[in-house]
Amino acid sequence: QVQLVESGGGLVQAGDSLRLSCTASGRTFSNYAMGWFRQAPGKEREFVAAISTWGRNTDYAESVKGRFTISRDNAKNTLYLQMNSLQPEDTAVYYCATTQGRAITTARLDYVYWGQGTQVTVSS
């Protein structure tokens, strides 16, 4: 059974940084592309960032480009999201997810396993 567990969320002020982690188990981590999504209250879950199996390819939502960095450590079965220059509009529950293939994708429906989410709150 595939399990994804996020950590690292919290309450920060605008301009601060946070690093989210997502530890995976239940299958060979390095075989699958992974991504981060977020969902703010009353809004749809939206794509944030994605990374290919060995990290060669990444993709970001326009709203986070230049501020967020996705990375992975396949030896540790862990996915990361470094978030810098956080703004109040980044406030959301952040979810990590994994696909069934190697190529990165921004489409939510391509992700088949999800973590439980971690709350990020940015105060102004």
Side-chain angles (χ1 to χ4, degrees), residues 19-64:
R19 187 176 81 156
L20 305 183
S21 299
C22 170
T23 301
S25 62
R27 62 175 180 172
T28 304
F29 181 77
S30 59
N31 284 353
Y32 303 97
M34 297 198 68
W36 288 97
F37 288 74
R38 67 186 181 186
Q39 188 166 17
K43 294 189 176 181
E44 294 284 322
R45 191 171 298 188
E46 65 175 3
F47 169 76
V48 174
I51 189 166
S52 58
T53 53
W54 289 93
R56 178 175 296 180
N57 297 312
T58 58
D59 198 3
Y60 296 92
E62 284 297 324
S63 58
V64 306

Side-chain angles (χ1 to χ4, degrees), residues 7-8 18-22 35-38 48-50 60 64 67-72 79-84 94-95 120:
S7 61
L18 275 177
R19 187 176 81 156
L20 305 183
S21 299
C22 170
W36 288 97
F37 288 74
R38 67 186 181 186
V48 174
Y60 296 92
V64 306
R67 300 188 299 124
F68 290 12
T69 302
I70 188 171
S71 62
R72 64 192 296 164
L79 177 73
Y80 301 100
L81 185 67
Q82 177 66 43
M83 305 186 294
N84 298 331
Y94 283 71
Y95 299 89
V120 172

Side-chain angles (χ1 to χ4, degrees), residues 101-118:
R102 295 180 176 271
I104 60 172
T105 172
T106 64
R108 190 176 67 181
L109 291 179
D110 289 335
Y111 290 84
V112 294
Y113 297 104
W114 295 80
Q116 83 289 348
T118 185

